[in-house]
Amino acid sequence: MTDATIAEDALLSLATRALVAGGMREDEAALAARVLVLADLFGLSTHGISRVPQYLGRVKVGGIDAAADVQVARVMPALAMVDGRNGIGPLVGMKALEAALEGARACGIGAAFARGSNHFGPIAPYAMIAAEQGFATLIASNATTTIAPWGGKDTRIGNNPIGIGVPNPGGDPVLLDMALSVAARAKIRSLAASGQPMPEGWATDTEGRPTTDPKAALAGFLLPVGGHKGYGLAVMVDLLAGLLSGASYLTRVSAWDKAPEVAQDLGHVFIAIDATKLAPVEVLRARMADFIDIIHTTPPADAARPVMLPGEREMQLLHRQRAQGVRVATADLVKLRELAGEP
């Protein structure tokens, strides 16, 4: 597969036009495209603009409403409920993030619970957007069931992502964005498409046996990171993001790849904290610098691999790609242009 390089603004504009051609309003398409383009800037290509054809494919068969009017209800000064009305996931995510930030501006801490959503991309873009405005965040979502409960033999839990972002005045924020399986299903799907073997320990086949065959893994289930601990965290994410939001949960969530015409009704939770209310900016800047220095000066086990913070490698790639252009698969660019109705 060949890659192409395109400027961030050009990619954002192209993704926006493709989403508009697919039925979204322009201002809302730009919000959704921002999440997906940031994903590519971070190197998270499986969750970036390559998702646009998937989203719009589901729009065509009635599984997603591209013109959905996302509803935000402010139930308390710091608490909002968001009804995505089966809209494009990154749009629902951005509306929920904005609602959480609004609550945090008013009260110091704010939360938004979203239901009626779909795949909303990776968490890092939302955490980055919030951190640039001085907010720390805890963000999570439920997902299609791909993990078996610990000790079980059937998929009942999603590979539910969770992320935490902390602002760093004058520097890069620290971002953690992780799913709760050893490996993301999208990575296994990519290996299956390319015919490459899968590392052992990522997933099992339908009988719960370890496998290195990605096709067998896609038919089986993912293994949670940290064994029973990852399982427990996945359960708690679904209780927060799925059950409390009023969305579907566990096996009630529809699998987009098996039934693309059916609404998924995913749930998300966004919690935002105004860090400027916890300490003056200069104090936070100094404390973050000291914290980061302690981590960076840790003697490395391998001299060629210095100790890094969570998300630091992705932040470095973001800066490089903003300066040099975003590398994306040529086929994805071609498809975006087709969807946008452009030669």
Side-chain angles (χ1 to χ4, degrees):
M1 182 182 294
T2 60
D3 288 345
T5 301
I6 180 172
E8 177 185 359
D9 288 349
L11 184 59
L12 180 60
S13 177
L14 178 58
T16 299
R17 295 195 302 274
L19 290 168
V20 169
M24 292 189 76
R25 290 175 283 274
E26 186 169 2
D27 59 335
E28 295 181 338
L31 285 176
R34 185 181 181 192
V35 173
L36 300 177
V37 170
L38 272 172
D40 278 303
L41 282 164
F42 281 126
L44 307 172
S45 59
T46 57
H47 288 56
I49 55 96
S50 65
R51 290 281 180 161
V52 173
Q54 177 202 112
Y55 295 163
L56 297 185
R58 291 191 61 216
V59 168
K60 286 185 178 179
V61 298
I64 293 177
D65 181 3
D69 183 15
V70 179
Q71 300 292 305
V72 179
R74 176 70 49 189
V75 297
M76 294 287 285
L79 182 63
M81 297 292 287
V82 179
D83 185 350
R85 302 175 70 87
N86 199 33
I88 295 279
L91 171 64
V92 181
M94 285 296 288
K95 292 287 188 178
L97 175 64
E98 290 172 355
L101 295 181
E102 181 181 341
R105 289 188 186 97
C107 304
I109 185 169
F113 291 79
R115 64 182 183 275
S117 189
N118 291 282
H119 180 275
F120 76 158
I123 288 173
Y126 302 105
M128 175 77 175
I129 291 166
E132 288 178 330
Q133 300 175 58
F135 294 90
T137 49
L138 189 154
I139 302 167
S141 175
N142 65 359
T144 303
T145 55
T146 52
I147 295 176
W150 193 246
K153 193 183 171 184
D154 186 31
T155 55
R156 299 294 173 93
I157 304 167
N159 187 16
N160 304 328
I162 184 169
I164 299 173
V166 178
N168 179 19
D172 289 335
V174 179
L175 308 177
L176 171 70
D177 180 355
M178 59 180 283
L180 296 178
S181 67
V182 175
R185 191 170 172 83
K187 290 183 179 179
I188 297 175
R189 195 179 296 116
S190 178
L191 290 174
S194 63
Q196 298 180 59
M198 180 186 73
E200 189 171 348
W202 281 18
T204 71
D205 62 17
T206 54
E207 295 300 314
R209 296 172 301 216
T211 181
T212 58
D213 179 355
K215 292 183 179 178
L218 291 173
F221 52 85
L222 301 175
L223 290 171
V225 63
H228 66 282
K229 295 180 180 180
Y231 156 64
L233 190 52
V235 167
M236 301 313 292
V237 166
D238 206 348
L239 284 168
L240 286 171
L243 188 135
L244 290 184
S245 70
S248 293
Y249 47 80
L250 300 177
T251 55
R252 309 300 183 200
V253 174
S254 177
W256 69 265
D257 55 340
K258 296 175 182 175
E261 74 284 359
V262 177
Q264 282 195 283
D265 189 25
L266 290 184
H268 318 310
V269 57
F270 288 76
I271 299 172
I273 301 163
D274 186 348
T276 66
K277 300 297 190 294
L278 300 175
V281 171
E282 60 273 15
V283 172
L284 180 58
R285 180 185 295 114
R287 288 175 61 81
M288 284 295 288
D290 181 54
F291 188 103
I292 292 169
D293 182 65
I294 292 172
I295 297 295
H296 279 171
T297 57
T298 304
D302 179 350
R305 298 170 62 88
V307 175
M308 303 181 79
L309 288 155
E312 188 171 358
R313 185 173 286 104
E314 288 78 9
M315 287 299 311
Q316 291 174 352
L317 180 59
L318 177 140
H319 291 310
R320 188 161 62 249
Q321 293 203 105
R322 277 186 162 163
Q324 301 174 2
V326 191
R327 290 188 64 81
V328 296
T330 301
D332 289 338
L333 281 183
V334 170
K335 187 63 178 177
L336 273 189
R337 293 190 178 103
E338 288 177 358
L339 289 170
E342 301 172 5

